[in-house]
């Protein structure tokens, strides 16, 4: 069964189209990276996936349940970690999790069992009684992941989850989430604008001006993701001094013949 199916999704803010006929699928247990420059449509997609915005065109299916026709069943499969933290800093780790479980209507005994399981899985057992404000950024993100997984969703959305973390914490968080995919069969959609957060084995979707410009295994795009990304989006801010020449001389021709799908490629920048 497909974990996430986005079907001909379209959305507009008045006359401006934020998403245009977007279609892609993710399988259970896969880590999917959603990459794009500012204004690509990433935030709009997350808002539609979480029903912060109503669907205008197309549909979203989460483990077979239509977000348009069966939203409760679809959202029951979904856990979310937003870019901005929503933890209560003056409550302990355990109190934050217990409060979230109560909002989901979980019986106390079941909630406590799930909290214990997630504290163990996120390696937070020794921090359960610590106030959240005493935790570093990486541990706060782990608390948010634990909270998002309390109701046992099968699809986890992380929207710019590494924002504000130092490089070591970002690396550790990415490794941790990929382990959840491998060991727990969790499907993850991870939105980012940072190229170093994408690994070759990830499923990679690149958005530009609301359109899918590439979709497939990240490793099939070539050895230098920055160059390929710049070529597909025209975003020279990634390389400034070297991207323009690299686009001409160093883009791996083998990548063009790979199985990676590139829709609507942009022209190479002119000198």
């Amino acid at each position: 069964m497909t974990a996430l199916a986005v079907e001909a999704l379209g959305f507009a803010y008045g006359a401006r189209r934020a998403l245009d006929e977007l279609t892609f699928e993710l399988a259970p247990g896969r880590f999917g990276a959603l990459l794009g420059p500012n204004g690509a449509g990433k935030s709009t997609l997350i808002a539609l996936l979480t029903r912060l915005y109503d669907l205008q065109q197309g549909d979203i299916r989460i483990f077979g349940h239509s977000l348009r026709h069966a939203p409760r069943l679809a959202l029951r499969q979904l856990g979310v970690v937003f870019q901005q933290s929503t933890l209560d800093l003056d409550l302990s780790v355990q109190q934050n999790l217990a409060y979230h479980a109560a909002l989901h209507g979980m019986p106390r005994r079941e909630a406590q069992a799930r909290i214990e399981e997630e504290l163990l899985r996120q390696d937070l057992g020794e921090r359960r009684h610590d106030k959240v404000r005493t935790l570093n950024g990486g541990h706060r993100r782990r608390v948010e992941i634990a909270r998002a997984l309390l109701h046992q969703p099968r699809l986890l959305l992380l929207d710019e989850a590494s924002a504000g973390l130092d490089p070591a914490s970002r690396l550790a968080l990415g490794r941790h989430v990929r382990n959840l995919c491998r060991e727990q069969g969790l499907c993850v959609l991870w939105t980012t604008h940072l190229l170093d957060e994408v690994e070759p084995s990830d499923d990679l979707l690149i958005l530009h001006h609301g359109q899918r410009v590439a979709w497939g295994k990240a490793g099939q795009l070539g050895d230098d993701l920055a160059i390929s990304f710049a070529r597909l989006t025209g975003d020279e801010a990634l390389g400034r001094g070297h991207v323009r020449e690299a686009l001409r001389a160093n883009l791996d021709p083998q990548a063009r013949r790979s199985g990676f799908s590139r829709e609507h490629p942009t022209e190479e920048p002119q000198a």
Side-chain angles (χ1 to χ4, degrees), residues 23 205-206 208 211-216 232 260-266:
T23 297
L205 171 66
I206 299 180
H208 187 46
Q211 294 185 322
R212 188 183 87 174
V213 295
W215 168 240
L232 289 164
F260 200 99
S261 172
R262 301 182 181 191
E263 291 86 2
H264 315 298
T266 58

Side-chain angles (χ1 to χ4, degrees), residues 35-179:
L35 186 64
N38 291 335
K42 302 189 302 295
S43 295
T44 299
L45 175 58
I46 294 298
L48 291 170
L49 286 165
T50 55
R51 291 204 83 204
L52 292 176
Y53 294 164
D54 290 330
L55 293 172
Q56 293 179 351
Q57 174 191 331
D59 199 4
I60 297 169
R61 296 184 181 276
I62 302 176
F63 283 91
H65 301 295
S66 166
L67 202 56
R68 182 182 294 278
H69 301 296
R72 288 188 179 182
L73 292 175
L75 292 175
R76 191 175 298 169
Q77 311 296 323
L78 182 65
V80 185
V81 176
F82 290 105
Q83 179 177 354
Q84 297 297 324
S85 176
T86 56
L87 296 171
D88 189 318
L89 300 181
D90 292 316
L91 294 181
S92 70
V93 170
Q94 180 152 328
Q95 287 170 331
N96 267 277
L97 298 181
Y99 178 67
H100 187 74
L103 290 178
H104 272 275
M106 297 173 64
R108 182 172 297 182
R109 182 173 296 180
E110 177 187 350
Q112 188 56 43
R114 291 290 303 125
I115 289 171
E116 291 295 329
E117 183 179 340
E118 287 305 323
L119 286 174
L120 179 62
R121 180 157 64 172
Q122 310 299 334
D123 196 23
L124 291 168
E126 295 183 358
R127 311 301 299 269
R128 70 173 68 231
H129 299 304
D130 294 355
K131 287 188 177 182
V132 168
R133 70 168 60 256
T134 68
L135 304 180
N136 62 34
H139 280 104
R140 290 187 191 185
R141 283 304 190 195
R142 288 199 178 203
V143 176
E144 291 182 288
I145 292 172
R147 183 181 62 178
L149 295 177
L150 277 180
H151 63 289
Q152 296 181 303
R154 293 189 286 173
L155 172 65
L156 181 63
L157 304 183
L158 296 107
D159 185 20
E160 306 281 0
S162 63
L165 299 183
D166 61 80
S169 296
R170 288 200 295 113
L171 180 63
L173 180 63
R175 185 180 298 127
H176 177 66
V177 173
R178 287 178 176 86
N179 284 338

Side-chain angles (χ1 to χ4, degrees), residues 227-243:
I227 295 173
S228 297
F229 182 83
R231 179 179 181 275
L232 289 164
T233 65
D235 188 359
E236 291 192 44
L238 292 167
R240 295 292 184 187
H242 75 274
V243 165

